[in-house]
Amino acid sequence: MGKTTIDRLIINSPYEEPKFHWRYDRTTRTFDLAEGRRPAGYVVATPGSKAFDDPGIFVEIPLVNKIRPRVKAWREAGYPGVTSISKRLLEHWQDTEEFDRRRFFFCQLEAVETLIWLTEAPPTERVGIEIPGDGGEFLRQCCKMATGSGKTIVMAMVIAWHILNKVANPQDARFSKNVLVIAPGLTVKKRLEVLYPSAEGNYYETFDIVPSALLDKLRQGKVLVRNWHALSWESEEQIKKRKSVDKRGVKSDEAYTREVLGEMANARNILVINDEAHHAWRVNPEAVGKYKRQRDLKDSAAEATVWIGGLDRLHRTRGILKCYDFSATPFAPSGKRSGEETLFGWIVSDFGLNDAIESGLVKTPRVVIRDDAVPDAKTYKSRLYHIYNDPEVKDDLNRRAKPEEPLPDLVLNAYYLLGYDWRETWKAWRAAGLPTPPVMITVCNRTETAARVKHAFESHSIHIDELCDPERILHIDSKVLEQAESREEDVAPLEITNESEDEEENQQPVQRKLTKAEQAELLRRTVDTVGKVGQPGEQIQHVISVGMLSEGWDAKTVTHIMGLRAFTSQLLCEQVVGRGLRRTSYEINPETGLFDPEYVNIFGVPFTFLPHEGGEDGPPPPPTPKTPVEPDPAKAQYEIRWPNVVRIERVYQPVLKLDWSKVRPLELDASQIAQVAELAPILEGKPDVTQIDRIKLERLAREFRTQRIIFETARDVFDQMKHTWKGSRELLLAQLVRIVEEFINSNRISISPPLFYQDPLRRRLIITLNMSRVVQHIWAAIRQENTEQLIPVFDRDHPIRSTGEMRTWYTGKPCERTKKSHINVCVYDSTWEASDAFVLDESKAVSAWVKNDHLGFEILYVYRGVVKKYRPDFLIRLKSGDMLILETKGQDTEQDRVKRQYLEEWTQAVNAHGGFGRWHWAVAKHPGKIRDVLMQYEESRRRG
C-alpha cells in the first residue's frame, strides 16, 4: 500500500549498504518503500511536463551499476590481489571496534574501495570495465558523493593508500607519494589543509585513518593543496596588453611547473585530486558556441580552461599518474539547451543526495507542497513552492529597485511563515543552552533584491523581531567574496587604529576604513565561521547572498532556506539546498539503529525530484538541539596533558627465564572450533543428503607433530622480539624453543571439555588451531619476566597531546556541565559514569579530570594476535600532581586483563622516562568504588 506522503525519510543505516529506497509511482501518486539499493543515476524532468508531481525520468549511470556488484563481491572475498599495505588499511577501516569516534560511512568505504579495486584487483575481475576519458592525455576517475557525506575523509584515505604503498615499495608504478590537491577557492583550500600529514588536526589522526604505527611512513610523502587560481597563466594576448615595462613572454611549461609546484617541483608521476571537480571540465569551443546563455557560461568556461589547461601543462613536464575527481554534482554544460548539463563519463562510484538523505547523512529537507491559500492557477502548486516564478514576483524582483522599496506581498508572506518557524527553533535552541543561533539562508537573483531583503529585516518591515538584528545579518556581496576567494595566500585582517595627539581621541581609538582587500578578507572569514563559537560568524542568524554561497561552506546550523531566484535545473536546486544540509550530530539512535532526523525547512526551491518529508498537520517541527562538547577557555587551568606514545621498546635480559608458577593458565575452548564439516551437492537448488562428504581436521593434527608446533610457536614469538633484542638472534631463538617446549608440555594449558581432549592427537589439534593465542600468551609472559627496561617512543610531530586540542563535537546524549574538567560538559553513557563524574568534581583529592571521550588518548595492545586500541575511561590529575588513569569496569574478561598488562607497561615506561611526572592506574569495578580509589591516593599524599 503506497503512501501519499513520507513520514520518515531515514530508512537506512549510514554504515551499511542501503537496503531500501523510496520510490514514487506516478500513476497512483504515492510513495512505496522499495527493497534493494537505488541504482546509480540521476533524474531529469519529463520533457514538456509541468505537473506538480512529475517524477521525472531516471537516467542510469551504467558504468557505476556494472562496477558496484564486482566491488561488493571482491570485498566479501577478502580483497584478493591487493598489496599488504592496502589489505592492512582496508581491514583497519572496517574494524568497528577500533573507533571511539564515528565509524566510516558505507559511502566513504565504497568510494575508496572502488578506486583500490580499479587499481589492484586481478585483471580478470575488471574485464569489460572501460572508463571514458575527457579528451586529455591523463586518466580521470570520479567519485560522485553528496554534500555532507564526507568527501574530505575519502580524499585522506586515498592519499594514505597511495603514499604508504609507494613508501613500502618505491618500484610500484601504480602509486605516487606526491599528491597535488586542487581546490575551487580559498574557503575550500583552507578546509583541505587537514590533508597535510603533519598539520595540527590532520584527518589521518583525527579520524584514525592511518594506524599510528604507519604515521611516520605517511609523512615521507608530500601533499600540496593549491587554489585553482594558482594554475592560471598569462596568454600572449594578455602580455601584449600590459602597460608595464615588463614585456617578458609566456612562461615555458618548465617555469610554470616550478612556480605551481614549489617544493614539489622535482616530483614525477604526481597524483592529482580535484575537489568540487565539476569546475574542472575540458572546454569544447563548439559546444560553448552553441550555448544560448553566454554570460552564464563565460566565467565557468574560463575557470575550467585554467584548471584543466594547467593540469595539461603539469602533465607534459612531470606526468600525472592519475586524477581523482570528487564532486556532489559532476556535471558540465552540454552545449545543447540553456540550463542543461551533461554528466562526467568517468564516474566510477555514486552516492547521490537521495541516498544520503535516506541514510541520514544529511538533514531531512522539508519543502512547501500545500498551503491554505489559492494555489497557482496553471500548476496547482503552492505559490510558495517556486516563489520567484510567481507572476506577481518575477518582474518585481528583476528590476533595479532601491533597497527601501517594499518586497512583493507573496515574498513578505513567505518570510513571515518561514521566520515564525525560525523563531520557534531559535527559542528551542536557547532553552537547550546552545551557544549559537539557528541560521536562515536567502539566495537572491540579483544585488538589488538582496539589498531589499536586508532592508526589510533591518527596518522591521518583517515583524519577526529576533531575526531583525542588523549585527546578526550577513549580506554577502558575491563580487567582493569572489575577490577574497581568488587569493592564493590567506592574509589575516588587522585591527587598524589611528593614534591622535588629542588626549580625548587617544582614549577612544578611531578605526580607519578598511581597504577593499581587507573588506573581502573580513567578509570571507565571517562567512566561513557562521555558527562556530568564538569566531567572527558565531552569532550570525541570517545570511543573504546573491547567487550561490561559496563551496566548502560547512555551517551546520542552517535550519531554513529561502530561494528568491530562478531555478532552471534540478542540479542548481541540489547545489543550493546542499549548502544547508550538513548535520550537527552523528549519533545512532540505539532503538532504531539509524540517525535521528535533523530538519531544514525550504521555501522557494522547486526540488521536484528530491525526496522530502511532508504532511498536512502544520509546519514541521524544529530540529532537536544538540550539545556542543569542547574545551572551555575559561577553565584552562584544568587542562590535562599526556605523552603521545606510539610504541614501547624493550631491552631484554640476555638470558630468558620463566617462573612457571607465576604464569597464568591458558584456557582453550574446543567447542568454539569446528573440526568436522559436512558438504553435499546441490540438485535443483536443494542439497542431496544421500551424498554427504566430510572434511575432518584430524589429518591436520597428524601432520603437526609436537616438535613442529613448538618450533612454529617459537618462530612467531621470535618475529615479535627480534627487532628489540640486543644480543645474538640465534641465542634468542634457541632460548625461545626451550621455553615454548616447556610451556607446551606443562600443565599450564587447559582445554575444555577436558575428558574428550585428553587424547594427545586432539590436544595437538586444538593447540594448532589456537596458535595465535598460544604465541600471544607466551610472549606476554616473557615480556613480563624478562624486560630490563621499557623505553617509550613518542610521535615525532605531536609528542604531547592535551585536552585543549579536542575538536568540537555534538551530542544528544545526557550530559552535565563540569567544574574541574577542561571540557565544558561530561557526556554520560551510563548512570555509573554520571555518578563517577560527580565524585571527581567534588573530590578534594582531584585537582583536574577529564573523560577520555574524543580526546585521542589510547594505548596500543595485542589481543589474539591483532593490534587494538585501549581507551581508559578517565584521566585525573591528583592534588599531589601525580596523574591517575582510571578505568570503570564491572566485568573482568581475558581481554580486559590483557589491556591492563599493556596499561601497566605504559605507565612503567612513561615513569622511567621521567619527563611527564608520575603516572598511576587503577580500576573501579563497581559504582562507588571510585571514592575508595581516590581516598587511597589522598591518604598516600598526606603521608608524604
Side-chain angles (χ1 to χ4, degrees):
M1 186 71 180
K3 299 181 178 182
T4 56
T5 60
I6 299 173
D7 54 354
R8 181 182 175 91
L9 265 178
I10 301 176
I11 50 178
N12 293 310
S13 166
Y15 303 116
E16 299 173 3
E17 183 176 12
K19 294 182 174 63
F20 307 96
H21 65 277
W22 286 110
R23 181 173 55 196
Y24 185 72
D25 188 323
R26 67 189 305 167
T27 304
T28 62
R29 298 190 180 189
T30 59
F31 298 95
D32 70 288
L33 190 60
E35 287 194 18
R37 184 176 182 182
R38 176 183 286 103
Y42 60 104
V43 179
V44 297
T46 305
S49 173
K50 295 184 178 179
F52 164 72
D53 55 356
D54 172 25
I57 298 173
F58 183 77
V59 180
E60 280 201 33
I61 308 177
L63 179 60
V64 175
N65 288 322
K66 187 184 292 185
I67 288 174
R68 269 184 186 173
R70 300 197 193 186
V71 171
K72 182 177 181 179
W74 177 70
R75 178 194 308 126
E76 293 172 347
Y79 306 111
V82 300
T83 68
S84 60
I85 288 290
S86 298
K87 186 69 175 291
R88 184 173 179 183
L89 287 173
L90 287 163
E91 289 176 347
H92 177 72
W93 297 334
Q94 295 278 9
D95 190 349
T96 57
E97 184 183 337
E98 290 302 301
F99 298 101
D100 66 338
R101 304 170 182 86
R102 75 179 196 217
R103 293 153 49 190
F104 296 112
F105 300 139
F106 169 79
C107 62
Q108 294 170 328
L109 289 169
E110 184 183 54
V112 73
E113 284 174 340
T114 300
L115 299 180
I116 295 174
W117 180 82
L118 288 167
T119 302
E120 299 190 53
T124 53
E125 294 196 12
R126 290 180 274 126
V127 172
I129 301 298
E130 300 292 337
I131 301 175
D134 73 336
E137 296 182 358
F138 53 86
L139 178 66
R140 298 179 71 177
Q141 293 173 358
C142 178
C143 292
K144 180 173 175 281
M145 297 181 67
T147 298
S149 59
K151 296 193 295 292
T152 307
I153 289 177
V154 179
M155 292 180 208
M157 298 166 92
V158 168
I159 290 170
W161 163 53
H162 263 267
I163 290 177
L164 290 174
N165 270 291
K166 192 65 173 179
V167 169
N169 187 0
Q171 306 306 316
D172 196 331
R174 296 174 297 176
F175 302 103
S176 174
K177 66 175 184 178
N178 299 289
V179 185
L180 174 64
V181 184
I182 306 297
L186 188 55
T187 296
V188 180
K189 176 180 177 289
K190 293 282 292 180
R191 187 195 67 195
L192 294 180
E193 289 177 359
V194 295
L195 298 178
Y196 289 117
S198 296
E200 194 70 30
N202 69 79
Y203 272 16
Y204 312 99
E205 295 177 83
T206 300
F207 290 101
D208 208 5
I209 288 171
V210 175
S212 55
L214 295 179
L215 282 171
D216 281 344
K217 288 184 170 60
L218 177 68
R219 292 168 188 144
Q220 293 179 31
K222 292 182 179 179
V223 178
L224 177 64
V225 182
R226 299 303 300 267
N227 200 345
W228 74 270
H229 300 83
L231 297 175
S232 62
W233 66 91
E234 286 187 302
S235 64
E236 290 184 4
E237 291 77 10
Q238 289 172 318
I239 291 173
K240 289 177 182 177
K241 294 178 181 178
R242 277 187 195 160
K243 295 182 179 179
S244 68
V245 295
D246 183 1
K247 295 299 181 183
R248 286 177 292 183
V250 177
K251 285 188 178 74
S252 66
D253 284 349
E254 179 63 27
Y256 171 82
T257 296
R258 292 194 170 278
E259 183 178 285
V260 171
L261 296 183
E263 294 181 359
M264 212 166 73
N266 294 326
R268 298 277 175 179
N269 293 322
I270 298 168
L271 176 69
V272 172
I273 294 178
N274 291 326
D275 193 16
E276 309 293 358
H278 49 275
H279 295 285
W281 45 279
R282 195 169 292 279
V283 176
N284 180 348
E286 187 175 325
V288 173
K290 293 178 181 178
Y291 208 85
K292 293 182 180 180
R293 299 182 67 176
Q294 289 292 332
R295 286 186 301 175
D296 287 356
L297 190 60
K298 182 179 178 182
D299 292 341
S300 181
E303 178 178 347
T305 299
V306 169
W307 195 316
I308 293 299
L311 294 182
D312 284 340
R313 298 186 74 175
L314 296 179
H315 182 61
R316 287 196 293 268
T317 57
R318 296 295 183 267
I320 291 177
L321 173 66
K322 198 173 290 183
C323 180
Y324 292 135
D325 292 339
F326 289 88
S327 173
T329 53
F331 293 79
S334 67
K336 295 178 181 178
R337 293 189 305 173
S338 175
E340 282 197 0
E341 298 88 9
T342 182
L343 204 65
F344 286 1
W346 51 94
I347 297 173
V348 295
S349 74
D350 175 33
F351 201 85
L353 184 55
N354 287 359
D355 302 309
I357 291 171
E358 290 169 350
S359 296
L361 294 181
V362 294
K363 291 176 181 171
T364 297
R366 292 179 179 268
V367 301
V368 183
I369 54 175
R370 296 176 62 185
D371 58 54
D372 62 352
V374 178
D376 184 287
K378 295 180 180 179
T379 65
Y380 293 91
K381 298 176 184 177
S382 165
R383 294 174 69 196
L384 302 175
Y385 183 68
H386 192 181
I387 297 169
Y388 173 85
N389 256 0
D390 192 274
E392 296 180 10
V393 174
K394 190 171 184 177
D395 291 341
D396 188 286
L397 295 188
N398 268 310
R399 61 191 180 88
R400 293 182 178 275
K402 295 179 180 179
E404 58 272 17
E405 294 189 45
L407 292 166
D409 288 340
L410 182 63
V411 175
L412 291 173
N413 181 211
Y415 269 124
Y416 272 119
L417 289 169
L418 197 63
Y420 177 83
D421 191 76
W422 176 90
R423 184 169 63 183
E424 293 303 303
T425 305
W426 175 79
K427 289 178 180 178
W429 284 34
R430 288 195 68 184
L434 298 184
T436 59
V439 174
M440 178 187 293
I441 301 175
T442 294
V443 181
C444 299
N445 62 325
R446 58 191 296 155
T447 303
E448 290 85 354
T449 302
R452 292 167 71 187
V453 171
K454 183 171 184 284
H455 182 270
F457 278 94
E458 291 184 347
S459 63
H460 290 253
S461 298
I462 299 169
H463 302 291
I464 307 291
D465 292 341
E466 295 84 356
L467 200 52
C468 295
D469 184 351
E471 298 298 320
R472 299 189 175 197
I473 297 175
L474 180 61
H475 179 199
I476 299 178
D477 185 325
S478 55
K479 293 181 179 178
V480 174
L481 187 60
E482 183 179 350
Q483 176 188 346
E485 283 291 313
S486 68
R487 299 175 65 91
E488 176 56 20
E489 299 301 330
D490 187 13
V491 179
L494 302 176
E495 183 179 344
I496 304 167
T497 59
N498 291 330
E499 293 188 1
S500 170
E501 295 181 0
D502 189 300
E503 185 176 343
E504 291 184 3
E505 290 187 10
N506 276 331
Q507 295 174 358
Q508 186 71 34
V510 179
Q511 189 171 18
R512 74 162 173 82
K513 187 176 181 181
L514 297 177
T515 65
K516 287 186 178 180
E518 289 167 340
Q519 289 176 359
E521 180 60 21
L522 181 59
L523 174 62
R524 186 192 66 78
R525 284 180 177 273
T526 306
V527 171
D528 288 354
T529 58
V530 169
K532 296 180 180 177
V533 177
Q535 300 294 324
E538 175 184 22
Q539 293 301 321
I540 294 298
Q541 297 179 162
H542 191 180
V543 178
I544 305 170
S545 71
V546 181
M548 296 292 291
L549 284 160
S550 62
E551 281 159 317
W553 195 63
D554 61 351
K556 297 179 179 180
T557 51
V558 176
T559 56
H560 297 76
I561 298 176
M562 175 71 78
L564 296 178
R565 61 162 294 168
F567 290 94
T568 56
S569 69
Q570 291 297 297
L571 169 61
L572 183 58
C573 294
E574 180 171 336
Q575 289 176 331
V576 170
V577 171
R579 296 297 188 268
L581 291 183
R582 293 189 184 274
R583 291 183 65 96
T584 61
S585 173
Y586 293 91
E587 291 181 0
I588 289 290
N589 184 318
E591 294 182 2
T592 64
L594 308 176
F595 282 150
D596 285 329
E598 296 180 9
Y599 295 102
V600 60
N601 303 330
I602 304 167
F603 279 26
V605 183
F607 215 141
T608 306
F609 316 124
L610 175 73
H612 51 269
E613 288 188 9
E616 303 175 13
D617 299 324
T624 303
K626 303 292 182 182
T627 304
V629 185
E630 58 197 354
D632 184 346
K635 298 195 294 178
Q637 71 268 31
Y638 301 118
E639 180 185 35
I640 287 180
R641 297 157 65 87
W642 61 90
N644 191 16
V645 178
V646 294
R647 69 180 184 276
I648 294 175
E649 293 184 348
R650 296 169 178 81
V651 177
Y652 293 102
Q653 295 174 355
V655 178
L656 301 179
K657 60 181 180 179
L658 281 181
D659 182 350
W660 292 108
S661 64
K662 296 180 180 178
V663 176
R664 61 185 178 83
L666 173 62
E667 299 175 359
L668 303 179
D669 186 356
S671 65
Q672 299 297 316
I673 300 174
Q675 300 168 49
V676 177
E678 294 185 344
L679 297 88
I682 297 295
L683 286 177
E684 298 181 355
K686 297 181 178 180
D688 182 359
V689 294
T690 64
Q691 301 184 47
I692 288 178
D693 191 17
R694 284 191 169 195
I695 297 175
K696 295 185 177 181
L697 290 181
E698 287 186 1
R699 284 170 284 184
L700 178 65
R702 294 190 182 95
E703 294 177 13
F704 270 76
R705 299 295 181 183
T706 301
Q707 283 304 117
R708 182 174 177 183
I709 294 173
I710 291 169
F711 183 79
E712 295 201 1
T713 304
R715 180 201 60 194
D716 290 345
V717 177
F718 172 80
D719 286 341
Q720 301 191 57
M721 292 184 64
K722 64 184 180 182
H723 302 293
T724 53
W725 180 260
K726 303 300 182 183
S728 164
R729 292 193 173 186
E730 291 77 10
L731 177 60
L732 170 63
L733 185 57
Q735 293 186 77
L736 290 175
V737 169
R738 173 181 56 80
I739 290 173
V740 171
E741 184 174 13
E742 290 180 14
F743 181 72
I744 296 293
N745 293 325
S746 73
N747 62 354
R748 310 307 288 174
I749 299 178
S750 64
I751 300 175
S752 59
L755 292 177
F756 188 66
Y757 294 100
Q758 287 177 354
D759 174 53
L761 184 68
R762 292 182 179 276
R763 190 172 187 276
R764 289 205 308 270
L765 174 61
I766 298 306
I767 292 174
T768 300
L769 296 176
N770 284 275
M771 189 75 78
S772 65
R773 293 190 63 192
V774 174
V775 169
Q776 179 59 32
H777 195 82
I778 294 175
W779 184 39
I782 291 173
R783 284 202 323 271
Q784 283 183 306
E785 285 202 40
N786 295 277
T787 298
E788 286 188 334
Q789 189 178 357
L790 295 171
I791 303 173
V793 178
F794 308 107
D795 184 276
R796 184 183 62 190
D797 292 328
H798 305 292
I800 300 174
R801 291 292 195 189
S802 81
T803 50
E805 297 174 357
M806 191 188 81
R807 296 164 64 92
T808 301
W809 57 285
Y810 294 82
T811 183
K813 292 181 179 180
C815 55
E816 201 62 60
R817 297 199 68 82
T818 58
K819 295 179 182 178
K820 296 181 182 179
S821 175
H822 191 194
I823 307 305
N824 61 333
V825 297
C826 180
V827 181
Y828 303 144
D829 294 313
S830 66
T831 53
W832 184 351
E833 281 191 349
S835 172
D836 284 353
F838 177 82
V839 172
L840 290 168
D841 255 346
E842 299 296 327
S843 174
K844 295 179 180 179
V846 175
S847 63
W849 67 276
V850 68
K851 182 184 175 184
N852 186 24
D853 193 355
H854 287 68
L855 289 182
F857 174 69
E858 55 199 21
I859 296 170
L860 298 179
Y861 71 101
V862 181
Y863 180 64
R864 297 190 176 183
V866 179
V867 178
K868 296 179 177 292
K869 292 177 179 177
Y870 170 38
R871 299 180 178 94
D873 294 316
F874 295 101
L875 294 178
I876 303 166
R877 185 166 68 243
L878 301 167
K879 285 289 186 181
S880 63
D882 287 3
M883 295 297 302
L884 174 64
I885 301 170
L886 182 68
E887 175 76 9
T888 57
K889 201 72 176 180
Q891 296 180 339
D892 198 16
T893 65
E894 178 192 15
Q895 188 171 1
D896 293 324
R897 291 191 290 271
V898 171
K899 289 178 181 179
R900 290 199 287 275
Q901 289 176 10
Y902 280 83
L903 175 56
E904 171 64 22
E905 291 181 354
W906 188 94
T907 54
Q908 286 183 19
V910 171
N911 288 336
H913 179 275
F916 300 94
R918 189 75 182 165
W919 288 73
H920 311 272
W921 66 269
V923 179
K925 293 187 177 180
H926 56 77
K929 178 67 175 177
I930 188 173
R931 296 180 185 274
D932 297 335
V933 172
L934 295 175
M935 186 178 299
Q936 173 188 342
Y937 284 100
E938 177 63 11
E939 290 177 355
S940 176
R941 180 181 72 88
R942 289 173 180 170
R943 289 194 301 266

